[in-house]
Amino acid sequence: MAYTETELAEELKSQKYKYGFTSKFETDRVPKGLNEDVIKMISAKKKEPEWLLEFRLNSYRNWLNMKEPNWAHVKYKKPDFQEITYYAAPQPKKQLNSLDEVDPELRNMYEKLGISIAEQKRLAGVKTDDEDKKELSGVAMDVVVDSVSVETTFKEKLNELGVIFCSFSEAVQKYPDLVRENMGKVVPPNDNFYAALNSAVFTDGSFCYIPKGVRCPMELSTYFRINEAGTGQFERTLIVAEDEAYVSYLEGCTAPTRDENQLHAAVVEIVAKNDAEVKYSTVQNWYPGDENGKGGVFNFVTKRGLCEGTRSKISWTQVETGSAITWKYPSCVLKGDYSEGEFYSVAVTNNHQMADTGTKMTHIGRNTKSLIISKGISAGVSENSYRGLVQINKQAKNSRNFSQCDSLLIGDKCGAHTFPYIETKNSSSKVEHEATTSKIGEDQIFYCQQRGMDEEAAVSLIVNGYAKEVLNKLPMEFAVEAKKLLEVTLEGSVG
Amino acid sequence: MIKIKNLHAEIEGNKILNGVNLEINAGEIHAIMGPNGSGKSTLASVLAGREEYEVTRGEVELMGENLLDLEPNERAAAGVFLAFQYPVEIPGVSNMNFLKTALKSIKEFKGEKPYTAKEFLQMVKKNQELVGLSGRLANRSVNEGFSGGEKKRNEIFQMAMLDPKFAILDETDSGLDIDALKTVADGVNQLKSPEKSFLLITHYQRLLDYIVPDFVHVLHKGQIVKTGPKELALELEEKGYDWLKEDGVEA
């Protein structure tokens, strides 16, 4: 008997989430609920300067008057913001001499996340030897568990180049001027409901600064993990690339399997100056909920890059496989003349997952260019929407946009939707939009089978081919992980 | 090589094959001709294991093994190859990656070691020349944006790479100009060997000028109504199928 779509759909239902473990290390948390006292408490725990507390309180006051957006093509029970714990941190650690002294639970978690021994030592604050240094891959990594950043690796090497890569909290203490100057510049605190909430309660995240003329020699990476029950994760990432700087930044995330919904509302801001280039890649694998749609992470994220300088370039690449609900539009504001924005996305939804994701390209400068490649894959009873805005302002003469939005359906109970918005206010610009929707073909599967592949190999080959344009944009370490993730998500094979 | 006994098959309740009997020995080339809707392509699909078709009666043996019990990929591993009438496009999957995956799967299934990269590339080079595709298709996506002729040549190229024991060519000649037809035929003739059997499904005698069959069969209403030497094809070309339809009904 050969493989039918029904069988494929059945198999997809039973796919398991392999990052669903919980780690039990001691945590320090604030009482649940949200009010000005909680915000002051968070700020005090982090020993923040007065201006930052003001930033938080103003954001909170704005947020109180805002409404949760309901225009997205997703349905969910709105979170009760008083039931969430806004700060939870693994207990602070001291300098350790060997991995044996590390909290076994923390170590256990690193192992399950597939982080190498040498990397583990770094992260746990253990002294490293030369052997370890050889083992370390060319990726500088930061891990954010629940609310705080655990450790940043490779700090010294980056320091020599003047590259700053550290936790957001550390940046606030050590580089307050840089933070103050750029924070909220791209995503203002009152930008939207979730950005305002994040601005009020964010606990940590990553900060990255590339000085003028420096090409960051390694990928910078942050790994986010929600661990504690009942907590939200509100991290902020700020990347500033000075003139002629270059950096490639990776972000990964997982969360334990829980019956309740957990909220993740992050803000990512990127500033690119003249001739600077920033590549931001995400592999998002938050817990998607079980096959009946119970549990899972609400992923409500605001990501935006400002191409401030002439000929600056920002590329977003995302592979979205997790989360129960995704609401996310990594965007580019193309302010500098000749600046460029790119958005490459693969979004996979299965079972009861719902994703409303896409991008905004705002053309302000002359001769600006944007490219949008979006590949949606829907299976199970999921809903997968692309939503994108291409806005070409009056002064953005001779601007170009090309958008391609493809949807692939697996089975006959899922949905794929495309909501493109195009606004062009001058006549010298050119906007192109292409969209396709297709079902994974029985013909294609049979063709592969006739050439000797079994059903799983066939589906995996076809899906990877479909998403190739985007997967090719990922740095190599990530591309391999992303391919595996696609296979696991779509084949039901437990890794 | 292959024995088809009293094969009946239907799709969505429509009976298409109504007792096909056919035996092909190793080294032989057989051609099946017949009017539209006579069941030619159905026979090819059933032999390859397409699951929309339900086999209601009959048996098919491939070198003594019950073919109908096997999954399509297992049939491929056992040496069955189908050159599709309408080769499917697989965007984003390069021809090379596709063939590598296919060969690896077959080798794995048989418990054999996969080809080394060097062996693989040598095979590619040799076989591309065979069908006049040198270097042209390697890095393009499977059949995407190929002309009709390129698609058919690519089928023959894949056939050469997978080196099957029993190959079915389902209207490989349709839509080909005379040059492409010659190239395809050359390819098949070079692959011909005493260990291999071919089943050519075609509408036209033209292909048989270049690939000379040992036997020609006429399929009508899901049954083989006439079998003859290669000259039968010429006769069909001249007279059409109507006289056989009469015969068939009487027989």
Side-chain angles (χ1 to χ4, degrees), chain B residues 117-185:
Chain B
K118 198 179 163 196
E119 286 169 334
F120 177 76
L121 287 174
Q122 278 168 348
M123 285 166 66
V124 167
K125 190 161 182 279
K126 186 180 111 206
N127 291 318
Q128 279 189 330
E129 278 165 18
L130 187 77
V131 291
L133 283 176
S134 294
R136 276 167 51 197
L137 303 184
N139 294 313
R140 286 167 61 185
S141 297
V142 178
N143 293 322
E144 198 184 29
F146 286 22
S147 70
E150 282 176 328
K151 282 184 183 173
K152 298 297 174 79
R153 287 183 203 212
N154 195 26
E155 291 294 289
I156 303 301
F157 168 58
Q158 290 182 20
M159 180 171 84
M161 289 294 290
L162 298 179
D163 193 29
K165 296 199 170 66
F166 173 55
I168 307 160
L169 276 66
D170 189 5
E171 303 209 13
T172 299
D173 53 333
S174 65
L176 289 189
D177 61 33
I178 198 74
D179 291 333
L181 184 72
K182 277 184 190 163
T183 319
V184 164

Side-chain angles (χ1 to χ4, degrees), chain A residues 3 8 70 95 136 139 172 361 383 432 441 476-477:
Chain A
Y3 213 46
L8 177 61
N70 56 8
Q95 172 75 38
L136 286 166
V139 179
V172 168
M361 293 290 175
E383 293 287 335
E432 289 172 80
M476 204 157 64
E477 297 88 351

Side-chain angles (χ1 to χ4, degrees), chain B residues 68-234:
Chain B
L68 299 178
D69 276 355
L70 303 180
E71 299 280 349
N73 57 309
E74 296 170 343
R75 297 183 194 198
V80 175
F81 182 90
L82 171 62
F84 285 72
Q85 183 178 2
Y86 303 109
V88 176
E89 298 184 4
I90 309 179
V93 178
S94 75
N95 258 329
M96 288 306 98
N97 186 19
F98 179 76
L99 276 169
K100 229 184 265 174
T101 312
L103 280 167
K104 197 174 135 240
S105 300
I106 289 177
K107 287 278 186 184
E108 230 168 58
F109 190 81
K110 291 184 181 171
E112 293 170 10
K113 264 202 267 171
Y115 291 110
T116 64
K118 198 179 163 196
E119 286 169 334
F120 177 76
L121 287 174
Q122 278 168 348
M123 285 166 66
V124 167
K125 190 161 182 279
K126 186 180 111 206
N127 291 318
Q128 279 189 330
E129 278 165 18
L130 187 77
V131 291
L133 283 176
S134 294
R136 276 167 51 197
L137 303 184
N139 294 313
R140 286 167 61 185
S141 297
V142 178
N143 293 322
E144 198 184 29
F146 286 22
S147 70
E150 282 176 328
K151 282 184 183 173
K152 298 297 174 79
R153 287 183 203 212
N154 195 26
E155 291 294 289
I156 303 301
F157 168 58
Q158 290 182 20
M159 180 171 84
M161 289 294 290
L162 298 179
D163 193 29
K165 296 199 170 66
F166 173 55
I168 307 160
L169 276 66
D170 189 5
E171 303 209 13
T172 299
D173 53 333
S174 65
L176 289 189
D177 61 33
I178 198 74
D179 291 333
L181 184 72
K182 277 184 190 163
T183 319
V184 164
D186 275 357
V188 173
N189 287 328
Q190 287 186 52
L191 293 172
K192 194 184 157 188
S193 83
E195 293 84 41
K196 286 190 171 65
S197 308
F198 290 88
L199 182 60
L200 311 176
I201 291 174
T202 181
H203 262 296
Y204 306 105
Q205 189 271 335
R206 196 176 66 151
L207 176 70
L208 307 179
D209 286 342
Y210 301 98
I211 308 174
V212 181
D214 298 296
F215 296 96
V216 174
H217 310 277
V218 179
L219 194 66
H220 176 55
K221 290 190 179 164
Q223 282 185 319
I224 289 179
V225 293
K226 193 163 179 70
T227 294
K230 60 176 194 294
E231 289 75 17
L232 176 59
L234 288 169

Side-chain angles (χ1 to χ4, degrees), chain A residues 37-257:
Chain A
D37 288 341
V38 164
I39 292 170
K40 284 175 188 159
M41 214 182 295
I42 293 171
S43 190
K45 270 187 189 296
K46 305 182 84 65
K47 303 187 180 68
E48 287 176 350
E50 190 59 31
W51 64 264
L52 193 48
L53 178 60
E54 276 309 305
F55 179 92
R56 287 177 181 277
L57 291 172
N58 283 334
S59 305
Y60 174 68
R61 287 164 200 149
N62 268 317
W63 177 75
L64 287 174
N65 295 319
M66 293 169 92
K67 282 213 171 71
E68 224 176 323
N70 56 8
W71 41 262
H73 190 73
V74 292
K75 282 199 198 89
Y76 61 96
K77 192 171 165 284
K78 303 260 189 273
D80 181 345
F81 294 98
Q82 296 307 330
E83 281 300 314
I84 293 172
T85 302
Y86 289 87
Y87 182 86
Q91 285 289 20
K93 59 193 181 299
K94 51 185 186 293
Q95 172 75 38
L96 306 170
N97 292 316
S98 86
L99 267 184
D100 300 338
E101 292 176 37
V102 176
D103 184 336
E105 281 294 335
L106 188 62
R107 209 184 141 190
N108 209 358
M109 184 185 82
Y110 289 151
E111 253 157 40
K112 285 181 183 165
L113 294 174
I115 294 170
S116 76
I117 297 286
E119 201 82 66
Q120 284 180 36
K121 286 194 186 176
R122 287 269 185 185
L123 294 170
V126 176
K127 282 185 195 151
T128 48
D129 50 37
D130 290 348
E131 203 52 35
D132 291 329
K133 279 177 187 147
K134 269 186 241 158
E135 262 182 59
L136 286 166
S137 60
V139 179
M141 196 183 224
D142 189 15
V143 175
V144 176
V145 179
D146 292 333
S147 304
V148 300
S149 167
V150 181
E151 180 72 16
T152 306
T153 58
F154 271 106
K155 216 173 268 183
E156 289 164 35
K157 191 168 177 191
L158 294 170
N159 268 345
E160 286 168 25
L161 292 164
V163 172
I164 302 169
F165 178 43
C166 64
S167 71
F168 205 91
S169 313
E170 192 181 332
V172 168
Q173 302 301 329
K174 288 194 181 163
Y175 316 101
D177 295 344
L178 274 178
V179 174
R180 194 174 183 179
E181 182 192 334
N182 292 291
M183 181 183 180
K185 179 170 166 179
V186 189
V187 180
N190 58 355
D191 187 78
N192 68 69
F193 185 82
Y194 292 108
L197 178 64
N198 174 290
S199 301
V201 302
F202 74 94
T203 39
D204 214 329
S206 288
F207 175 74
C208 169
Y209 176 84
I210 317 292
K212 185 173 179 208
V214 172
R215 280 186 73 85
C216 187
M218 62 186 76
E219 316 275 352
L220 302 185
S221 164
T222 303
Y223 199 96
F224 293 102
R225 169 126 188 116
I226 300 178
N227 189 54
E228 284 296 288
T231 57
Q233 178 139 338
F234 305 94
E235 82 273 0
R236 261 191 111 89
T237 299
L238 175 57
I239 301 172
V240 180
E242 292 288 355
D243 291 356
E244 294 147 50
Y246 166 85
V247 66
S248 168
Y249 186 93
L250 320 176
E251 171 202 85
C253 28
T254 59
T257 301

Side-chain angles (χ1 to χ4, degrees), chain A residues 149-410:
Chain A
S149 167
V150 181
E151 180 72 16
T152 306
T153 58
F154 271 106
K155 216 173 268 183
E156 289 164 35
K157 191 168 177 191
L158 294 170
N159 268 345
E160 286 168 25
L161 292 164
V163 172
I164 302 169
F165 178 43
C166 64
S167 71
F168 205 91
S169 313
E170 192 181 332
V172 168
Q173 302 301 329
K174 288 194 181 163
Y175 316 101
D177 295 344
L178 274 178
V179 174
R180 194 174 183 179
E181 182 192 334
N182 292 291
M183 181 183 180
K185 179 170 166 179
V186 189
V187 180
N190 58 355
D191 187 78
N192 68 69
F193 185 82
Y194 292 108
L197 178 64
N198 174 290
S199 301
V201 302
F202 74 94
T203 39
D204 214 329
S206 288
F207 175 74
C208 169
Y209 176 84
I210 317 292
K212 185 173 179 208
V214 172
R215 280 186 73 85
C216 187
M218 62 186 76
E219 316 275 352
L220 302 185
S221 164
T222 303
Y223 199 96
F224 293 102
R225 169 126 188 116
I226 300 178
N227 189 54
E228 284 296 288
T231 57
Q233 178 139 338
F234 305 94
E235 82 273 0
R236 261 191 111 89
T237 299
L238 175 57
I239 301 172
V240 180
E242 292 288 355
D243 291 356
E244 294 147 50
Y246 166 85
V247 66
S248 168
Y249 186 93
L250 320 176
E251 171 202 85
C253 28
T254 59
T257 301
R258 294 195 187 283
D259 288 347
E260 68 197 24
N261 293 113
Q262 285 180 293
L263 178 61
H264 171 246
V267 167
V268 175
E269 297 177 278
I270 301 175
V271 179
K273 308 274 176 74
N274 291 330
D275 296 288
E277 180 176 356
V278 178
K279 280 187 183 171
Y280 193 105
S281 311
T282 307
V283 172
Q284 186 267 106
N285 188 26
W286 295 119
Y287 177 57
D290 70 8
E291 62 182 70
N292 300 312
K294 196 170 167 65
V297 169
F298 290 167
N299 191 35
F300 301 148
V301 172
T302 307
K303 292 184 170 181
R304 194 174 303 150
L306 172 63
C307 283
E308 193 173 36
T310 311
R311 291 174 304 275
S312 54
K313 182 174 176 184
I314 293 175
S315 290
W316 298 100
T317 304
Q318 58 171 20
V319 175
E320 302 277 315
T321 61
S323 296
I325 311 285
T326 298
W327 179 93
K328 179 182 170 188
Y329 315 91
S331 305
C332 297
V333 178
L334 304 171
K335 193 175 164 198
D337 291 347
Y338 296 93
S339 62
E340 257 182 81
E342 290 179 341
F343 174 75
Y344 297 94
S345 168
V346 174
V348 187
T349 54
N350 193 2
N351 296 320
H352 290 262
Q353 281 176 278
M354 285 180 266
D356 194 298
T357 184
T359 184
K360 276 195 287 188
M361 293 290 175
T362 309
H363 293 249
I364 299 169
R366 287 163 181 254
N367 299 292
T368 47
K369 277 205 301 202
S370 61
L371 176 68
I372 299 171
I373 306 284
S374 162
K375 305 269 181 179
I377 301 165
S378 335
V381 290
S382 67
E383 293 287 335
N384 198 334
S385 305
Y386 166 82
R387 186 182 304 275
L389 169 65
V390 175
Q391 190 179 42
I392 298 192
N393 288 292
K394 201 173 170 191
Q395 67 275 35
K397 301 262 196 283
N398 300 314
S399 290
R400 296 273 180 277
N401 161 268
F402 177 77
S403 306
Q404 186 178 337
C405 304
D406 297 331
S407 308
L408 187 68
L409 300 163
I410 300 177

